[in-house]
Amino acid sequence: MPAAAAGGQAEPEPFGVAVVGCGNISKQYLKNLVTFPDVQVLFCADIDAGRAKAQAAAYGVPASGSLEQALEHPDVQLVVNLTIPAAHAEVASAAIAAGRHVWNEKPLAPDVAAGRALLDQAAKAGVRVGCAPDTVLGAGIQSARRLIAAGAIGTPLSALTLLQGPGPESWHPDPEFLFAKGAGPLFDLGPYYLSVLATLFGPTTRVAAISRRARDTRVIGSGPRAGREFNVEVPTFISAVAEYAGGQAASLLFSWDSPLQRMGFLEITGTDATLAVPDPNRFDGDLRVRRAGEREWTVIGSAGAAAGRGSGVVDMVRSIRRGQPHRASGEMALHVLEMMTAIDRSGETAAFEPVESGFERPAALAEDWDPYVADV
Ligand SMILES: NC(=O)c1ccc[n+]([C@@H]2O[C@H](COP(=O)([O-])OP(=O)(O)OC[C@H]3O[C@@H](n4cnc5c(N)ncnc54)[C@H](O)[C@@H]3O)[C@@H](O)[C@H]2O)c1
């Protein structure tokens, strides 16, 4: 029964959620989701029952078990799918088939056809698909969006992004999936950068790339399996260019073949100024603007919620209730997936590759949007 709010208005019950995939990133999600009043985590699931049980115990989630058991839970309305990329589509499809909305970790699916099939399946079933990254909903990127809309850099012309470093096998205890088909720096970290550009510029029309792989094997650097060698299946250096339907151009670097670590670099240049956007892999951060003729950057603090991972789930739940489109949409994730696939293909064909899917640019979030206060 809906609880009566102070003004006599009925507050909706929290949306029942199951978290599927209780590995590394589930800690950040669970820590946040259990504090957001619009959702209630009812179930933790994993193919490793022990992991699911441990995460349920750690975050006060009342039940744990398998995906099948999660989908039998009558009050689970939405599945937060935090499995490895190879399992994203299969787990999401099972949830949709059971009539549940799905929030997927990125990438949406292992390939464009699987991603499109997922969205078609959801449309037929009348349920929604949302997809990470929800960092685009954080104060940093939303403030950048507001600044550009207010004309702070003039007409946006181009973007430059840099992601380079030695790779995640030094710190991730199970890094193989990050070097398997469907991952690598482009598919693992590209979604953050490309989703910011999708949020700011809209859809891409074509891309081109050069890709390389410095080593065919890598060595696990931490955890119980440290020292074990594994195969690298994907390019680990990708230098790409992209053209946007709005006329903008972007230069993009994604590399795990660099001893020098440089992450979170994303600049938008307009007719009047360059805007340095906060790290696309974070929810907060300052913005910096440098206008024509200036020798120094002007630092501008970001405004709005920076609640972290799970914010997109809250936006999705609220949007479902209000009958509005949610912002971190499956359509935008499919476009980003198609873009990454086209970049990957261009690395082999050495030709420009078209990107054909479109999406509606999501509405900006209000500055006072707050996942910690129940939406009435
Ligand atoms: N680790 C990070 O910092 C990070 C950050 C952002 C996003 N992500 C994304 O989150 C996802 C998970 O990453 P992770 O680092 O937590 O991986 P992980 O390997 O630590 O955890 C994945 C979990 O999913 C479970 N799993 C695999 N297949 C399953 C299936 N079919 N059904 C149920 N459970 C299944 C595994 O047993 C494991 O517990 C990936 O898509 C990754 O790109 C990770």
Side-chain angles (χ1 to χ4, degrees):
M1 284 288 284
Q9 210 176 353
E11 263 181 33
E13 288 283 323
F15 220 76
V17 164
V19 169
V20 180
C22 292
N24 219 283
I25 201 63
S26 69
K27 297 170 217 152
Q28 285 186 36
Y29 270 92
L30 283 162
K31 179 169 86 52
N32 292 336
L33 289 175
V34 298
T35 63
F36 296 152
D38 290 329
V39 298
Q40 187 176 15
V41 185
L42 298 171
F43 204 95
C44 283
D46 200 292
I47 38 171
D48 180 335
R51 277 194 185 186
K53 196 173 174 190
Q55 287 302 67
Y59 294 94
V61 176
S64 68
S66 65
L67 169 66
E68 293 68 30
Q69 288 170 317
L71 297 178
E72 280 164 13
H73 194 301
D75 298 326
V76 167
Q77 295 163 279
L78 184 148
V79 165
V80 176
N81 178 9
L82 311 181
T83 58
I84 53 170
H88 284 176
E90 175 196 325
V91 168
S93 176
I96 294 167
R100 290 355 193 262
H101 305 285
V102 177
W103 171 268
N104 254 21
E105 246 308 329
K106 48 76 191 167
L108 177 66
D111 56 61
V112 175
R116 193 163 282 136
L118 212 55
L119 299 194
D120 288 347
Q121 187 194 354
K124 285 200 192 94
V127 296
R128 305 252 195 133
V129 176
C131 189
D134 49 2
T135 41
V136 290
L137 304 184
I141 307 307
Q142 289 291 317
S143 296
R145 184 170 174 176
R146 285 192 287 267
L147 212 58
I148 292 172
I153 64 168
T155 304
L157 299 174
S158 62
L160 174 64
T161 77
L162 302 174
L163 173 278
Q164 60 184 143
E169 76 276 18
S170 59
W171 62 267
H172 199 298
D174 302 307
E176 289 97 328
F177 81 87
L178 292 165
F179 294 87
K181 289 264 175 261
L186 174 61
F187 286 86
D188 183 52
L189 293 167
Y192 296 107
Y193 295 78
L194 301 178
S195 299
V196 171
L197 295 180
T199 298
L200 299 179
F201 290 167
T204 309
T205 51
R206 61 175 186 154
V207 296
I210 294 173
S211 59
R212 297 275 186 274
R213 176 166 62 207
R215 281 171 282 150
D216 290 335
T217 61
R218 299 219 176 196
V219 176
I220 301 175
S222 75
R225 297 162 63 241
R228 198 171 295 187
E229 196 175 51
F230 63 94
N231 290 330
V232 177
E233 295 176 8
V234 288
T236 41
F237 169 96
I238 301 100
S239 175
V241 288
E243 186 175 63
Y244 286 81
Q248 304 89 348
S251 306
L252 314 156
L253 176 68
F254 303 104
S255 173
W256 284 341
D257 286 343
S258 165
L260 174 68
Q261 178 109 16
R262 184 157 46 182
M263 302 184 75
F265 186 106
L266 200 165
E267 286 180 357
I268 309 290
T269 292
T271 46
D272 301 341
T274 291
L275 167 66
V277 175
D279 187 341
N281 200 354
R282 291 185 60 89
F283 287 77
D284 54 4
D286 288 339
L287 297 88
R288 291 176 300 135
V289 175
R290 193 135 149 203
R291 295 178 188 84
E294 288 179 350
R295 297 173 72 97
E296 302 290 336
W297 293 91
T298 301
V299 178
I300 302 169
S302 56
R309 291 195 158 88
S311 299
V313 175
V314 174
D315 175 63
M316 198 172 158
V317 163
R318 290 179 178 179
S319 302
I320 291 168
R321 285 195 168 136
R322 289 170 177 239
Q324 294 168 349
H326 55 286
R327 290 173 174 80
S329 69
E331 285 73 19
M332 191 161 104
L334 179 64
H335 180 80
V336 168
L337 178 61
E338 191 196 348
M339 190 178 173
M340 296 188 296
T341 306
I343 288 173
D344 198 38
R345 204 169 49 242
S346 175
E348 288 165 19
T349 61
F352 268 96
E353 296 287 341
V355 181
E356 281 155 0
S357 59
F359 65 94
E360 287 293 319
R361 247 181 104 205
L365 268 181
E367 211 174 289
D368 63 357
W369 187 86
D370 187 349
Y372 292 112
V373 177
D375 193 41
V376 181

